[in-house]
Amino acid sequence: MIGGIQDVYYSVTDTKRAIAFYTEALGMRLVTANEFWIVLDCHGVTVGLHPEAKPIPRIPRDSHGAHAGATLTLKSDNVPEDRKKLERLGAKILGEDDQPWGHMLVFEDPDGNVLKLMNPKHDH
Protein backbone atom coordinates (compact mmCIF):
# COMPACT_ATOMS: atom_id res chain seq x y z
CA MET A 1 0.00 0.00 0.00
CA ILE A 2 1.36 3.42 -0.96
CA GLY A 3 1.55 5.71 2.07
CA GLY A 4 2.62 9.07 0.70
CA ILE A 5 5.53 10.75 -1.03
CA GLN A 6 9.00 9.66 0.06
CA ASP A 7 10.83 12.33 -1.94
CA VAL A 8 11.30 13.96 -5.31
CA TYR A 9 14.86 14.41 -6.48
CA TYR A 10 17.10 15.93 -9.12
CA SER A 11 20.58 14.86 -10.19
CA VAL A 12 23.33 17.45 -9.74
CA THR A 13 27.02 17.62 -10.62
CA ASP A 14 28.27 20.24 -8.12
CA THR A 15 26.82 19.51 -4.70
CA LYS A 16 28.08 22.67 -3.01
CA ARG A 17 26.61 24.87 -5.76
CA ALA A 18 23.34 22.88 -5.76
CA ILE A 19 22.91 23.11 -1.97
CA ALA A 20 23.51 26.87 -2.12
CA PHE A 21 20.99 27.29 -4.94
CA TYR A 22 18.25 25.16 -3.38
CA THR A 23 18.63 26.74 0.07
CA GLU A 24 19.31 30.38 -0.88
CA ALA A 25 17.31 30.77 -4.11
CA LEU A 26 14.47 28.36 -3.33
CA GLY A 27 14.33 28.65 0.47
CA MET A 28 14.63 24.93 1.20
CA ARG A 29 16.20 23.75 4.46
CA LEU A 30 19.21 21.43 4.35
CA VAL A 31 18.51 18.32 6.44
CA THR A 32 21.54 16.16 5.67
CA ALA A 33 24.23 15.82 3.03
CA ASN A 34 26.87 13.27 2.17
CA GLU A 35 28.69 12.19 -0.98
CA PHE A 36 25.78 9.97 -2.09
CA TRP A 37 22.60 11.89 -1.21
CA ILE A 38 21.41 15.33 -0.10
CA VAL A 39 18.12 15.79 1.74
CA LEU A 40 16.30 19.12 1.71
CA ASP A 41 12.99 20.03 3.36
CA CYS A 42 10.55 22.07 1.27
CA HIS A 43 7.65 22.87 3.59
CA GLY A 44 7.24 19.24 4.63
CA VAL A 45 8.13 17.61 1.29
CA THR A 46 11.54 15.98 1.01
CA VAL A 47 13.53 17.13 -2.02
CA GLY A 48 16.63 15.10 -2.76
CA LEU A 49 19.72 15.96 -4.75
CA HIS A 50 21.62 13.02 -6.22
CA PRO A 51 25.32 13.70 -6.93
CA GLU A 52 26.47 12.59 -10.39
CA ALA A 53 30.00 12.47 -11.76
CA LYS A 54 28.90 13.07 -15.37
CA PRO A 55 26.98 16.05 -16.78
CA ILE A 56 23.20 15.80 -16.47
CA PRO A 57 21.68 14.82 -19.84
CA ARG A 58 19.54 17.59 -21.31
CA ILE A 59 15.93 16.80 -22.12
CA PRO A 60 13.70 18.89 -24.37
CA ARG A 61 12.24 21.90 -22.58
CA ASP A 62 10.54 25.19 -23.34
CA SER A 63 8.78 28.04 -21.59
CA HIS A 64 6.15 25.60 -20.23
CA GLY A 65 8.64 23.22 -18.60
CA ALA A 66 10.32 19.89 -19.25
CA HIS A 67 9.06 17.64 -22.05
CA ALA A 68 10.10 14.46 -20.23
CA GLY A 69 10.13 13.39 -16.62
CA ALA A 70 8.54 15.73 -14.11
CA THR A 71 8.78 19.43 -13.30
CA LEU A 72 8.82 20.42 -9.63
CA THR A 73 6.42 23.38 -9.26
CA LEU A 74 6.91 25.55 -6.19
CA LYS A 75 4.33 27.99 -4.85
CA SER A 76 5.28 31.67 -4.91
CA ASP A 77 3.33 34.65 -3.62
CA ASN A 78 5.46 37.10 -5.62
CA VAL A 79 6.88 35.67 -8.86
CA PRO A 80 8.60 38.93 -10.02
CA GLU A 81 10.52 39.26 -6.72
CA ASP A 82 11.43 35.58 -6.68
CA ARG A 83 12.57 35.84 -10.31
CA LYS A 84 15.11 38.54 -9.34
CA LYS A 85 16.55 36.31 -6.61
CA LEU A 86 16.64 33.26 -8.88
CA GLU A 87 18.48 35.16 -11.63
CA ARG A 88 20.94 36.62 -9.11
CA LEU A 89 21.72 33.12 -7.80
CA GLY A 90 22.31 31.45 -11.18
CA ALA A 91 18.93 30.33 -12.55
CA LYS A 92 18.34 30.43 -16.30
CA ILE A 93 14.84 31.71 -17.04
CA LEU A 94 12.99 29.73 -19.73
CA GLY A 95 9.70 31.60 -19.65
CA GLU A 96 7.20 33.61 -17.63
CA ASP A 97 3.46 33.74 -18.20
CA ASP A 98 0.58 35.39 -16.35
CA GLN A 99 -2.65 33.51 -17.06
CA PRO A 100 -6.13 33.62 -15.49
CA TRP A 101 -5.25 30.52 -13.41
CA GLY A 102 -1.82 31.68 -12.23
CA HIS A 103 1.45 33.55 -12.72
CA MET A 104 4.16 31.06 -13.72
CA LEU A 105 7.92 31.17 -14.11
CA VAL A 106 9.85 28.26 -15.65
CA PHE A 107 13.58 28.09 -14.99
CA GLU A 108 16.65 25.86 -14.86
CA ASP A 109 18.81 25.31 -11.80
CA PRO A 110 22.60 25.59 -12.33
CA ASP A 111 22.69 21.93 -13.52
CA GLY A 112 19.97 22.50 -16.13
CA ASN A 113 17.18 20.79 -14.17
CA VAL A 114 13.77 22.34 -14.96
CA LEU A 115 11.62 23.78 -12.16
CA LYS A 116 8.66 26.13 -12.05
CA LEU A 117 7.22 28.78 -9.74
CA MET A 118 3.49 29.39 -9.66
CA ASN A 119 1.34 31.94 -7.92
CA PRO A 120 -2.08 30.33 -8.33
CA LYS A 121 -5.08 32.62 -8.77
CA HIS A 122 -7.55 29.85 -7.90
CA ASP A 123 -7.18 26.57 -6.07
CA HIS A 124 -6.58 23.80 -8.60
Side-chain angles (χ1 to χ4, degrees), residues 24-122:
E24 296 171 27
L26 302 179
M28 297 184 192
R29 182 179 60 84
L30 178 63
V31 176
T32 187
N34 61 46
E35 62 187 300
F36 306 108
W37 187 243
I38 298 157
V39 176
L40 301 156
D41 176 69
C42 182
H43 302 277
V45 174
T46 299
V47 175
L49 300 176
H50 186 260
E52 299 283 353
K54 298 178 181 175
I56 310 306
R58 287 189 60 86
I59 58 169
R61 78 251 347 258
D62 62 19
S63 63
H64 296 286
H67 291 209
T71 299
L72 179 62
T73 302
L74 304 168
K75 288 183 181 178
S76 168
D77 63 3
N78 190 329
V79 172
E81 279 301 310
D82 287 332
R83 177 180 178 148
K84 290 178 193 172
K85 182 173 21 172
L86 288 169
E87 288 179 314
R88 190 172 67 247
L89 294 169
K92 176 185 175 186
I93 305 302
L94 298 177
E96 184 172 354
D97 199 10
D98 197 358
Q99 293 290 334
W101 59 87
H103 188 170
M104 296 160 289
L105 178 74
V106 178
F107 63 96
E108 293 178 3
D109 74 3
D111 281 290
N113 293 305
V114 180
L115 296 96
K116 185 185 285 190
L117 296 185
M118 182 168 180
N119 185 355
K121 295 182 181 169
H122 306 289

